[in-house]
Amino acid sequence: METEDEKILRLARLQNEKERALSGLLGQGDVRGLSLMKRISQATFDEAVKENTDEFGMDFDEAVKEALEQFKSQGCDLSNISINENTEQGMSPLAAIAILSLLYFTLCFAILCIKSR
């Protein structure tokens, strides 16, 4: 059975193949290739950032910048990509929302306590 990391790598490789094909078509002036343009997934982007930090020793900001440049040069649509250090380190967006909600309600409670004095 395929592990999560293997699945991400497989999907990233497939996406990279599609992106190379699109880049080749656009390089030849064939605008029909734009119909092949797809958004890269957050997992693909995160994997590229992780690869840059693990294999090339880049810090997070440098790795993100390199990944952005790489995908943009291939004509990728990055409009759905979230650049967030917590995501890169494994915090899920739902966990971040839960933490922010807890902080918000804690602050509201503190304000109410102060006002009621």
Side-chain angles (χ1 to χ4, degrees), residues 20-74:
R20 276 193 289 279
L22 173 61
S23 181
L25 289 171
L26 293 176
Q28 297 169 5
D30 188 347
V31 294
R32 292 176 297 161
L34 290 175
S35 66
L36 298 175
M37 186 173 168
K38 291 176 85 173
R39 290 183 185 179
I40 65 163
S41 68
Q42 184 70 48
T44 300
F45 183 80
D46 290 347
E47 183 59 34
V49 171
K50 186 175 183 334
E51 181 179 316
N52 288 343
T53 57
D54 292 350
E55 294 186 22
F56 303 113
M58 297 178 184
D59 64 25
F60 178 77
D61 292 332
E62 190 178 24
V64 167
K65 183 179 176 188
E66 178 63 29
L68 286 171
E69 289 173 2
Q70 173 190 355
F71 289 122
K72 283 180 184 176
S73 72
Q74 296 173 9

Side-chain angles (χ1 to χ4, degrees), residues 83-98:
I83 299 167
N84 178 328
E85 248 183 285
N86 290 330
T87 301
E88 196 273 337
Q89 294 173 356
M91 180 182 283
S92 75
L94 289 177
I97 290 169

Side-chain angles (χ1 to χ4, degrees), residues 109-117:
F109 181 74
I111 290 169
L112 288 173
C113 288
I114 290 169
K115 285 184 175 182
S116 65
R117 287 186 185 182

